[in-house]
């Protein structure tokens, strides 16, 4: 993958943490000028310092369409065009249906679904023909996992966006795919709304069911996201790649 993306411009939402940060590292290593988008100025600055001179940051909340438009206009002014868009920012909170409040439902759909959709819309005029859009979905979008009804539905919506947009953007040669991680060791796991012992039990349950026998490292998801971003995946379109150690595959 070395220098595969030389002189390309990549944008990673949620690039200041977890899977997004690990992918930004690989995109920079592949030669791309990489812009990370996130909410928190302090962690954005820390991530840019760690990523080095080919990285920069734009602060935006992806659930705020005005902020997205400003961020992508600024990226276009600085870089001229975007070749790779990694639509990765997201939140995960689990709750049984009887305890789901309206604001839980709205927050997850605002960030994960509306945020992803308008990230793509705001970037679209700036994406070069032949570009690649990659979304972070989740293998839970095709599982029936108790407590995950709202979160899983947000990720199922992304799977549907991938299919429709791959067809719609084909005339511009823009490919649209998604990476669907299984349970991955990132800060998100601590924010699921589960007690520490519940997280441990959930992790053990997932690891036991996955043939690979453990949880994913962020870099393992980033490898596949970077593959989907690069010309190496030139004949992959409208697809979702599960990276779950086999958890949802067997
Ligand atoms: P993380 O918490 O480390 O990273 C999430 C990133 O999204 C952070 O940078 C956060 O600031 C950003 N973000 C959240 N809301 C935002 C908003 N409104 N505006 C801008 N940025 C926002 O978690 P992660 O595990 O790296 O998650 C990345 C993606 O992977 C998410 O879409 C998540 O749903 C998905 N995913 C994670 C797992 C897992 O087990 N960790 C599994 C499947 C899918």
């Amino acid at each position: 993958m070395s220098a595969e993306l030389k002189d390309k411009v990549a944008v990673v939402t949620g690039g200041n943490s977890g899977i997004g940060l690990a992918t930004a590292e690989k995109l920079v290593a592949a030669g791309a000028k990489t812009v990370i988008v996130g909410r928190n100025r302090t962690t954005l600055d820390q991530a840019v310092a760690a990523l080095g001179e080919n990285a920069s940051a734009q602060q935006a909340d992806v659930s705020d369409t005005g902020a997205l438009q400003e961020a992508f206009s600024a990226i276009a002014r600085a870089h001229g065009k975007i070749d790779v868009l990694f639509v990765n920012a997201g939140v995960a909170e689990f709750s049984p249906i009887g305890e789901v409040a309206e604001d839980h439902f709205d927050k997850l759909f605002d960030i994960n679904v509306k945020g992803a959709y308008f990230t793509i819309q705001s970037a679209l005029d700036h994406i070069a023909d032949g570009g690649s859009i990659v979304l972070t979905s989740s293998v839970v979008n095709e599982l029936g996992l108790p407590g995950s009804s709202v979160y899983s539905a947000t990720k199922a919506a992304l799977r549907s966006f991938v299919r429709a947009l791959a067809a719609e953007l084909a005339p511009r040669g823009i490919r649209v795919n998604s990476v669907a991680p299984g349970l991955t060791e990132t800060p998100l796991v601590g924010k699921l709304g589960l007690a520490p012992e519940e997280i441990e039990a959930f992790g053990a349950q997932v690891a036991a069911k996955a043939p690979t026998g453990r949880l994913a490292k962020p870099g393992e998801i980033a490898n596949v996201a970077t593959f989907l971003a690069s010309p190496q995946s030139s004949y992959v379109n409208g697809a979702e790649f599960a990276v779950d150690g086999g958890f949802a595959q067997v």
Side-chain angles (χ1 to χ4, degrees), residues 16-17 19 39 61-62 88 137 151 155 184 186 188 191:
N16 43 348
S17 180
I19 292 166
R39 278 182 300 195
D61 182 329
V62 299
N88 166 76
S137 160
Y151 177 69
K155 295 302 187 177
T184 308
T186 71
L188 172 138
K191 299 179 229 160

Side-chain angles (χ1 to χ4, degrees), residues 11-25 27 34-40 43-44 47-48 51 56-63 68 72 75 85-91 111-112 115-116 119 134 136 155 186-188 191 218 222:
V11 178
V12 179
T13 67
N16 43 348
S17 180
I19 292 166
L21 178 57
T23 306
E25 282 167 10
L27 292 168
T34 302
V35 185
I36 58 170
V37 177
R39 278 182 300 195
N40 185 309
T43 54
L44 284 171
V48 167
L51 290 165
S56 59
Q58 276 295 325
Q59 190 174 14
D61 182 329
V62 299
S63 63
L68 279 173
F72 280 102
I75 292 167
L85 177 64
F86 186 32
V87 186
N88 166 76
V91 288
I111 296 175
N112 293 2
T119 294
V134 182
T136 309
K155 295 302 187 177
T186 71
L188 172 138
K191 299 179 229 160

